[in-house]
Amino acid sequence: MSETQSIIAVRKGKSGVERTMNLLFLLCGLTAVVCVVFMTLYMVVAGGPIIAKVGFFDFVFGRTWNPENSQFGIFPMIVSSIAATGGAVLIALPCGVLVAVFLAKLAPDRIAAALRALIDLLAGIPSVVYGLLGAILLVPLIFNLQTALRLPTSGNLLAAMLILVIMILPTIISVSETAIRAVPKEYEDAALALGSTRLQSIFKVSIPAAKSGIVAGIVLGTGRAIGEAMAVIMVAGNAAIMPTLLGPVRLLTTSIPIEWAYSSGTHRDALYGIGLALFVMIMAINTIFRKTLKKGGAFDDG
Amino acid sequence: MTGEVSRQTVITVKKRRPLETLLYAVILVVSIGVVGLTAFLIVYILIQGIPAISVKFLTTAENPILKTVGIFPSIVNTLYMVLFTLLISVPLGVGGAIYLNEYAKNRRLVGAIEFATETLSGIPSILYGVFGYVFFCVLLRLNVSLIAGVLTLSIMVLPILMRTTQETLKAVPQSYREGALGMGATKWHLIRTILLPCSLKGILTGVILSIGRMVSESAALLLVAGGSAMYMPRGNLFEQMSHSGSTLSVELYRYAMSRGDNKTAFGIAAILIIIVIALNLLTRFLAGRLNR
Amino acid sequence: MNMKKPLGIMLSFLLCIAVFAACSSPAGDNAAGGDSSGELSGTVKTGGSTSVEKVMTALIYQFQEGHQDVVIDYEMNGSGDGIKNTINGLYEIGHSSRELKTDGTEDGLTATPYAIDGIAIVVNKENSVANLTKEQLSGIYTGTISNWSEVGGKDAPITVITREEGSGTRSAFGEIIGIEVKDKPETAIVPAATVSDSTGAVQTAVQQNPNAIGYLSFSDVDTAKVNTVSYEGVKISTDTLKNDTYKLKREFYLLTKTGGELSPAGQAFMDYVLSSDGQNIVADQNLLPI
């Protein structure tokens, strides 16, 4: 009897600790939510005033950015951001998935391990280093192209795109690889048993099954690309005009650090406004992706 | 009928062969290209940067009179940032992941937290910079300082830690949990003695990834911790953290853009690459040892 | 038993912090002030122009060498920022590379010049153009002249590089050659111009782009990287700046609140800059002393 009692007593004692730890962990989890709430709140609080002042349509669709003359139209920068990010993702996605397939399915183990290590390294390289490399190696190459086409030589959209590709490639590769690896082997075995070739089973079975993971990789990659400022500043030319592939561009992100230091008053508010615009764009992209995920998620329930 | 079907199958298989080979070739070319590019870039940085590194470079601050360069202050700033950010974000991240995976019952809550984490990881660093400035520097009166930088970085790496820990926890076989609970262990006991040790490798991976993210961070820190690293560290820890200061990445940006001093910039880049390589090797070493 | 590893890691982190903290030497408090023995101590907050970086960091370094307990903070966010923050008291001393505006928005400050700086026009090393007149320069910057062949160079489009709005150098440059005149949109800088956010960034951009033209502080010019272009037939040098034949120039200013009191350390620093030692450093950096 005393044995049972002591077990109960021990369990009762433990349940206090249990509840505390439960609460503690809950709080930890809630931190993320709290942060997001605060962030949304402050982005709106900081960015709201300029939109109220200049007017939503004039701000978002205005084509002239000239703070000295109180012109705050960010449309060229929105277009440039979309162009740079879209172009980068368009190039990086197929390359990344192909490499992921190579790593996950086709490469011999030791080579795959070595390559994975190399790509992990690539992922860790700071954006400013990419910017430096871009400015020293890539932009002069593009100068040759611009000169051949009789265009003014300068930093440009193409350089920004290519830099972004290199930056988001490791993300897409590693997340896609993880996703592909996570697909149960049975799926592929089933396909092979039904007569498909190795590649068929990979591309028609594993990749769709890994879709949510790959899309997560795209979201991460897009997020990184659309938010990249430092590397792009060093290669993009920084003129607030509508983008052309070989012309100087300014993205939403690059405006902020360039003008941050000396902006004040309405100008600073305008930069907050750009921040808000960027924030809204990111949330929109995320939501769209999540909806796509939910649609295509039927496969995972299998 | 069966004959027809099998003939069709044979034909289609034959048709696919050249396409397959082409696809294999494309995969190979792309992979080699990516890998080759990576290797080239890393080697290039090291070749350009290592000549700039010397003992003097690493251990002194800049001397404008003698016109010498030194990056010791930014090295110190970077170390502070990393240490303090980890102190804050590791418990929060691991704790959050544990909650999500082991405790959470309410589907909506889990959904909310996961949505929040996903959102946070998708927010670009420049926006963290704007938010960090508005919230930590202005609202909380921390001014442009290393402390503000630490707090901003903590939010930034939180999703990384939560995600990696969650993935690792998910990978721990359910049987472990069932076994432990079957033997009468409480949840906390289970976490403490079985789940955490099993997940250590994954958590450390998350930590390494976070450190990598912190070391590479420049946009947010430029806005929130700004400044330059021109003087040797003075004053006690608290004072140092309340001053503005730049980390290695921010210094790189300054040297490359403002000074046009590519040699020093490459030197810092080489150091950063070496740090990243070291972090990677560290993960593998630790992972190996912990598996014993 | 298995909590030891993460605990161990935490503990070693804490140990590292403790070591760092111990290694740092204690210094003066944050309020700048002197103590009874006359030794200066404290932090002087300053900030502003990026163009003055080279000479200012040299001056600060040397001053701090002589006064070990003083820390002079120097934030580089542009002349406009320096002016604004000196007015609102954030900076004790502000740095500007242009004159204060007379339209009433920048009242309440005293600008003390301590150096004369030439604004150099720079082009890439490969560019053979050696001289530009005021008309040609303003034409290039407003976009009416867009090809190097129009000013005697090779047939290639001109890439215009300018500083960010709020740059003191940009304002000073614009005032002298007559561009960016308020209310005269035809004098605006061509929108496709590349914006660099500091004086050194301009030099880097010009160095790397064969068709670029830019302007920057003479103290920053490195003739190994770029060529300077004569302005109205006069080549920039300390001599032509001294004898006033080179007209593109402006002064560097220390800004203080009119009628306000500087801390002892702040005052000492200002005196130092204007002293012969300080002025020697100014001359050493390719500027003209006052």
Side-chain angles (χ1 to χ4, degrees):
Chain A
M1 285 307 107
S2 61
E3 279 252 329
T4 329
Q5 267 184 337
S6 58
I7 292 179
I8 294 174
V10 163
R11 290 226 66 165
K12 274 211 177 126
K14 278 196 180 154
S15 75
V17 177
E18 267 301 301
R19 262 189 247 126
T20 324
M21 296 316 290
N22 196 336
L23 187 63
L24 221 63
F25 287 131
L26 171 63
L27 288 176
C28 288
L30 286 179
T31 324
V33 180
V34 167
C35 286
V36 172
V37 168
F38 269 114
M39 232 185 235
T40 318
L41 191 67
Y42 274 94
M43 293 310 278
V44 174
V45 162
I50 187 71
I51 300 192
K53 186 168 188 170
V54 172
F56 178 78
F57 279 103
D58 282 332
F59 187 65
V60 173
F61 293 104
R63 292 192 169 213
T64 318
W65 174 266
N66 196 339
E68 286 259 297
N69 289 334
S70 296
Q71 290 176 297
F72 296 112
I74 63 173
F75 193 63
M77 304 188 273
I78 294 181
V79 177
S80 303
S81 280
I82 296 179
T85 309
V89 171
L90 229 59
I91 300 176
L93 181 58
C95 293
V97 171
L98 287 179
V99 177
V101 164
F102 182 70
L103 284 179
K105 300 282 175 193
L106 300 177
D109 277 345
R110 299 191 71 182
I111 295 188
L115 295 186
R116 221 170 282 131
L118 207 58
I119 290 179
D120 276 344
L121 212 53
L122 198 63
I125 296 181
S127 19
V128 280
V129 174
Y130 284 121
L132 185 63
L133 284 169
I136 303 281
L137 292 176
L138 183 60
V139 175
L141 280 179
I142 302 187
F143 279 175
N144 293 334
L145 186 60
Q146 287 170 322
T147 319
L149 292 175
R150 317 226 27 198
L151 293 167
T153 50
S154 69
N156 50 72
L157 182 61
L158 183 63
M161 268 192 216
L162 293 176
I163 291 278
L164 287 176
V165 165
I166 303 184
M167 289 180 67
I168 65 179
L169 212 50
T171 313
I172 294 187
I173 293 177
S174 60
V175 175
S176 301
E177 199 210 336
T178 313
I180 294 176
R181 275 177 172 264
V183 173
K185 197 165 180 301
E186 292 80 55
Y187 286 29
E188 239 179 79
D189 288 345
L192 288 170
L194 286 172
S196 70
T197 62
R198 195 85 212 284
L199 282 188
Q200 276 178 313
S201 71
I202 294 177
F203 281 95
K204 299 230 157 119
V205 174
S206 298
I207 289 190
K211 182 151 73 161
S212 67
I214 297 181
V215 170
I218 300 179
V219 174
L220 281 175
T222 312
R224 186 150 190 216
I226 208 170
E228 189 44 54
M230 308 309 269
V232 174
I233 285 185
M234 294 164 96
V235 299
N238 298 317
I241 55 179
M242 293 298 279
T244 53
L245 192 63
L246 290 176
V249 292
R250 190 187 295 189
L251 313 190
L252 287 171
T253 48
T254 56
S255 307
I256 301 181
I258 285 192
E259 304 191 358
W260 181 266
Y262 56 87
S263 59
S264 58
T266 320
H267 191 180
R268 178 60 71 90
D269 285 340
L271 293 186
Y272 291 151
I274 294 184
L276 180 59
L278 203 52
F279 188 67
V280 167
M281 272 181 84
I282 304 265
M283 297 296 264
I285 293 177
N286 273 357
T287 322
I288 295 177
F289 272 129
R290 293 191 106 237
K291 288 243 162 81
T292 325
L293 257 178
K294 285 215 171 109
K295 263 193 194 168
F299 224 112
D300 298 299
D301 296 352
Chain B
M1 270 238 295
T2 343
E4 263 181 50
V5 167
S6 47
R7 217 180 50 201
Q8 274 182 338
T9 324
V10 167
I11 292 174
T12 31
V13 166
K14 272 197 176 149
K15 263 195 196 155
R16 288 213 169 89
R17 282 263 182 87
L19 208 64
E20 293 257 318
T21 338
L22 185 64
L23 199 50
Y24 268 113
V26 166
I27 293 181
L28 213 64
V29 163
V30 170
S31 304
I32 292 181
V34 168
V35 166
L37 190 63
T38 315
F40 168 71
L41 290 179
I42 294 178
V43 168
Y44 186 80
I45 293 173
L46 291 174
I47 292 182
Q48 292 283 335
I50 291 192
I53 303 179
S54 62
V55 176
K56 193 152 195 212
F57 185 71
L58 292 174
T59 54
T60 60
E62 187 184 340
N63 187 330
I65 303 288
L66 296 176
K67 313 215 174 150
T68 60
V69 192
I71 59 169
F72 184 70
S74 51
I75 295 181
V76 171
N77 287 339
T78 313
L79 278 165
Y80 281 161
M81 286 276 195
V82 168
L83 282 171
F84 286 112
T85 309
L86 284 177
L87 263 174
I88 298 177
S89 54
V90 169
L92 285 177
V94 172
I98 291 178
Y99 178 76
L100 276 181
N101 222 45
E102 310 296 328
Y103 283 95
K105 303 281 189 309
N106 187 341
R107 287 259 90 198
R108 297 188 72 184
L109 190 56
V110 169
I113 297 182
E114 285 190 340
F115 174 73
T117 314
E118 227 174 274
T119 310
L120 282 181
S121 65
I123 293 181
S125 53
I126 190 73
L127 286 187
Y128 275 108
V130 173
F131 169 70
Y133 181 80
V134 169
F135 190 72
F136 295 120
C137 299
V138 177
L139 188 77
L140 294 188
R141 305 279 183 101
L142 292 173
N143 291 324
V144 176
S145 62
L146 291 179
I147 288 194
V150 165
L151 291 170
T152 314
L153 281 182
S154 305
I155 311 181
M156 256 194 227
V157 299
L158 193 62
I160 301 178
L161 287 163
M162 280 185 80
R163 183 178 295 261
T164 13
T165 313
Q166 227 188 328
E167 297 285 317
T168 319
L169 285 174
K170 278 190 183 156
V172 173
Q174 197 60 14
S175 51
Y176 284 29
R177 296 184 183 81
E178 287 162 3
L181 288 172
M183 285 200 287
T186 59
K187 211 162 227 175
W188 168 230
H189 190 260
L190 160 70
I191 293 174
R192 194 160 37 97
T193 56
I194 297 184
L195 289 184
L196 274 181
C198 284
S199 323
L200 220 45
K201 175 171 149 188
I203 296 178
L204 269 171
T205 314
V207 168
I208 302 286
L209 281 175
S210 308
I211 297 183
R213 174 94 200 253
M214 285 185 252
V215 163
S216 351
E217 186 46 52
S218 46
L221 290 177
L222 192 66
L223 267 50
V224 163
S228 49
M230 288 194 301
Y231 314 127
M232 297 297 277
R234 292 184 185 215
N236 60 41
L237 192 63
F238 182 71
E239 269 176 26
Q240 286 182 49
M241 295 301 283
S242 10
H243 268 133
S244 65
S246 53
T247 55
L248 285 169
S249 293
V250 177
E251 275 297 283
L252 202 171
Y253 177 73
R254 262 185 15 103
Y255 274 106
M257 289 282 278
S258 305
R259 306 285 192 88
D261 184 355
N262 286 335
K263 181 159 175 255
T264 311
F266 269 112
I268 300 181
I271 293 177
L272 286 171
I273 297 270
I274 294 176
I275 291 179
V276 171
I277 296 179
L279 287 176
N280 265 346
L281 292 175
L282 194 65
T283 326
R284 288 160 203 283
F285 175 68
L286 280 172
R289 291 202 68 186
L290 280 169
N291 268 338
R292 298 281 139 65
Chain C
M1 55 136 183
N2 281 311
M3 282 301 279
K4 279 195 185 153
K5 268 246 163 61
L7 267 179
I9 296 174
M10 289 296 219
L11 273 172
S12 22
F13 277 159
L14 287 168
L15 265 172
C16 289
I17 298 167
V19 167
F20 274 127
C23 281
S24 315
S25 52
D29 45 79
N30 268 335
D35 60 29
S36 51
S37 68
E39 261 303 315
L40 294 169
S41 67
T43 308
V44 180
K45 285 181 101 53
T46 76
S49 165
T50 60
S51 304
V52 309
E53 181 185 356
K54 269 202 151 169
V55 65
M56 193 43 60
T57 47
L59 285 165
I60 291 176
Y61 182 87
Q62 206 62 354
F63 182 75
Q64 286 183 169
E65 286 289 294
H67 302 89
Q68 285 288 335
D69 288 330
V70 177
V71 173
I72 309 218
D73 273 346
Y74 169 36
E75 274 176 31
M76 285 172 272
N77 292 330
S79 301
D81 200 67
I83 293 170
K84 181 194 77 165
N85 284 331
T86 313
I87 294 178
N88 68 27
L90 181 65
Y91 298 147
E92 229 186 290
I93 301 176
H95 302 285
S96 172
S97 60
R98 63 164 171 83
E99 291 173 336
L100 292 172
K101 289 192 191 152
T102 46
D103 58 5
T105 52
E106 295 179 355
D107 287 345
L109 291 182
T110 313
T112 315
Y114 62 92
I116 299 176
D117 179 42
I119 301 180
I121 312 292
V122 292
V123 294
N124 190 271
K125 284 299 243 181
E126 286 176 12
N127 197 323
S128 58
V129 173
N131 179 54
L132 287 171
T133 64
K134 181 173 162 189
E135 285 76 38
Q136 288 173 321
L137 254 188
S138 59
I140 290 176
Y141 269 86
T142 52
T144 49
I145 299 179
S146 58
N147 196 301
W148 281 112
S149 57
E150 299 176 58
V151 291
K154 63 180 184 215
D155 179 22
I158 304 180
T159 306
V160 175
I161 303 195
T162 182
R163 287 286 305 280
E164 76 283 5
E165 290 122 3
S167 155
T169 315
R170 175 167 166 165
S171 305
F173 178 71
E175 260 192 56
I176 300 179
I177 71 167
I179 59 173
E180 298 208 281
V181 179
K182 223 177 164 105
D183 305 325
K184 272 201 186 166
E186 71 272 14
T187 58
I189 290 191
V190 52
T194 302
V195 176
S196 295
D197 67 349
S198 73
T199 209
V202 172
Q203 179 156 247
T204 314
V206 171
Q207 178 192 9
Q208 292 170 347
N209 187 331
N211 301 322
I213 183 172
Y215 54 85
L216 68 157
S217 162
F218 181 53
S219 62
D220 273 310
V221 169
D222 182 352
T223 45
K225 293 183 179 176
V226 293
N227 286 343
T228 56
V229 169
S230 301
Y231 178 66
E232 297 277 345
V234 182
K235 191 147 178 75
I236 190 171
S237 72
T238 37
D239 294 322
T240 54
L241 283 172
K242 226 181 264 182
N243 63 30
D244 207 26
T245 47
Y246 188 86
K247 297 289 183 183
L248 274 178
K249 59 186 177 186
R250 43 57 189 290
E251 288 171 327
F252 286 162
Y253 300 96
L254 288 175
L255 306 168
T256 46
K257 258 190 127 114
T258 319
E261 273 275 323
L262 282 179
S263 64
Q267 186 62 54
F269 181 65
M270 276 199 72
D271 296 335
Y272 175 74
V273 171
L274 297 166
S275 72
S276 57
D277 280 339
Q279 294 290 299
N280 278 341
I281 294 182
V282 165
D284 191 41
Q285 299 285 338
N286 248 350
L287 298 165
L288 285 189
I290 294 288

